[in-house]
Amino acid sequence: MQSFPVRHGFEPGRNVVALSTEESHKTTDALVELTPIPSDLTTMYWVIDEVSLPDVDSGYFIHPASTVAGHFREYGDIQIDGEEPALVFASDGGGHLFALSGSGRVWRSTTASWSGQFDLAAATLQEFLEGLAQRINCQL
């Protein structure tokens, strides 16, 4: 991070990966009861509560289960042609949404909208997270 200000012209923000807590486990359990959450997302939430990376590209944010539940109550799931319903779990700094479908695929909105088109972003949640790790490494 010492080279960050020289390379980017500003100080880095607060980039955080928050590990799960007993409270976030309860929130994840409540989300599981609310909606058919993909199992990979449940597994992730048992380890990671939330991710905030404002300095990686335009920013990446994995929402905590409580936010995902609130969004699900307000907007429902994402319908993608030919795909099982998807649950929004993340966003980027441009307002694009990332949704994980029951098939395990990760989809990215083409606009900052819940009702717009979604394109395939990664074949699995693991691939999505590995791609995010590569972006982090490029920023260092």
Side-chain angles (χ1 to χ4, degrees):
M1 296 305 288
Q2 291 175 347
S3 66
F4 188 94
V6 173
R7 290 176 59 200
H8 299 283
F10 58 92
E11 291 295 322
R14 183 173 158 91
N15 296 283
V16 177
V17 176
L19 298 178
S20 295
T21 64
E22 184 66 33
E23 187 61 33
S24 66
H25 288 170
K26 290 177 186 176
T27 306
T28 299
D29 290 342
L31 180 61
V32 168
E33 291 178 21
L34 178 66
T35 181
I37 181 174
S39 62
D40 287 350
L41 198 55
T42 305
T43 302
M44 183 194 74
Y45 279 136
W46 276 95
V47 178
I48 296 170
D49 178 41
E50 157 179 31
V51 175
S52 177
L53 302 169
D55 294 324
V56 176
D57 294 336
S58 66
Y60 285 92
F61 308 93
I62 295 178
H63 308 156
S66 59
T67 299
V68 174
H71 288 159
F72 179 78
R73 285 185 193 98
E74 186 170 348
Y75 303 107
D77 53 23
I78 301 296
Q79 300 296 316
I80 300 166
D81 289 341
E83 185 64 49
E84 298 177 37
L87 188 62
V88 171
F89 73 98
S91 60
D92 67 18
H96 296 99
L97 305 172
F98 293 94
L100 181 65
S101 68
S103 70
R105 293 184 185 107
V106 177
W107 299 85
R108 180 182 181 268
S109 64
T110 57
T111 63
S113 171
W114 288 77
S115 59
Q117 180 180 334
F118 280 72
D119 290 338
L120 187 63
T124 64
L125 181 59
Q126 180 176 342
E127 182 180 293
F128 173 79
L129 295 172
E130 287 171 352
L132 188 54
Q134 289 175 350
R135 286 181 175 86
I136 292 167
N137 288 332
C138 290
Q139 295 286 307
L140 297 178

